[in-house]
Amino acid sequence: MEQHVTFRRVAGMLVGIVIISLGVALFKFAHLGNDPFNALNIRSAELAGLPLGVQNLIYNAVFFTMQMIRGRRYVGFGTVANAVCCGFIITFFYDFLTAHFAQAATLPAQLPWVAAAVVCTSLGISLHQTSDLGVAPYDYLALGLRDHTPLPYFCCRLFTDTLCALLAFLLGGLLGGLLGGLLGLGTLICAFCLGPLIQFFNTHVSENVLQYVPTGQQA
């Protein structure tokens, strides 16, 4: 990360965290399956007999170790802010949604919530990453893969999200999202759409709003 920190970058990082949290809450509210990383987290916690929070810390500790070894420039205040704040903000938005909106019970009613969730999550991640003040350990995986391969970012994100979804599936998260299972149509939409949308928002929104392009972002 560059040392010159501007107000735009700090604001972009904080707004990004809020938008990411809203996206996750929308995804949870849609009940069409979890996003790939959380699906893997939930299933792993069930198999290990661990609280979800503990399992999440285990995965993040592994990814953070990789981040420190191979991508230390992606570690910063934003990494800590994401880890500390997201859970509370997600809970706030989810409680608001359940209090003010009727639960969508049919696929046509659920799909708009999933669409909103994917767009919000992609925009939030884009702002958070483009601010270049530290990214979440899981989000680093795609960035690190991009930095060390000739692949564009959206391919790397597609790979990490699809891998998480596949692992959750192989570990037994087989119930359909329509029945409240770990995986569902929403998981597939998330896995295939986040990468391209994040790259789209990087180019057309975040870099323009923050007036900043992190080193290697164009790759």
Side-chain angles (χ1 to χ4, degrees), residues 75-112:
V75 178
F77 173 67
T79 307
V80 178
N82 184 292
V84 172
C85 298
C86 272
F88 297 103
I89 303 173
I90 291 168
T91 299
F92 168 80
F93 280 129
Y94 183 73
D95 289 345
F96 177 86
L97 290 170
T98 55
H100 292 84
F101 295 92
Q103 186 66 59
T106 63
L107 183 61
Q110 291 168 314
L111 285 176

Side-chain angles (χ1 to χ4, degrees), residues 7 9 89 106 116 124 137 141-142 191 195 212 214:
F7 173 79
R9 289 173 62 191
I89 303 173
T106 63
L141 295 182
Y212 179 74

Side-chain angles (χ1 to χ4, degrees), residues 17-29:
I17 288 175
V18 173
I19 297 176
I20 291 169
S21 302
L22 173 59
V24 174
L26 287 167
F27 216 100
K28 185 177 179 181
F29 185 74

Side-chain angles (χ1 to χ4, degrees), residues 61-186:
V62 173
F63 299 152
F64 182 71
T65 300
M66 297 168 62
Q67 191 174 1
M68 287 295 293
I69 294 173
R70 302 287 291 179
R72 188 168 297 183
R73 71 186 184 88
Y74 292 113
V75 178
F77 173 67
T79 307
V80 178
N82 184 292
V84 172
C85 298
C86 272
F88 297 103
I89 303 173
I90 291 168
T91 299
F92 168 80
F93 280 129
Y94 183 73
D95 289 345
F96 177 86
L97 290 170
T98 55
H100 292 84
F101 295 92
Q103 186 66 59
T106 63
L107 183 61
Q110 291 168 314
L111 285 176
W113 291 106
V114 171
V118 172
V119 171
C120 282
T121 305
S122 302
L123 175 59
I125 292 173
S126 174
L127 286 168
H128 194 272
Q129 290 181 355
T130 303
S131 70
D132 203 24
L133 294 174
V135 300
Y138 174 71
D139 291 333
Y140 160 71
L141 295 182
L143 290 168
L145 191 61
R146 180 204 63 188
D147 290 347
H148 296 94
T149 69
L151 297 174
Y153 174 80
F154 78 87
C155 288
C156 298
R157 183 75 193 206
L158 177 62
F159 173 78
T160 57
D161 285 340
T162 303
L163 180 61
C164 282
L166 178 61
L167 289 173
F169 177 82
L170 294 175
L171 289 174
L174 306 179
L175 292 178
L178 292 173
L179 300 177
L182 293 178
L183 302 173
L185 180 60

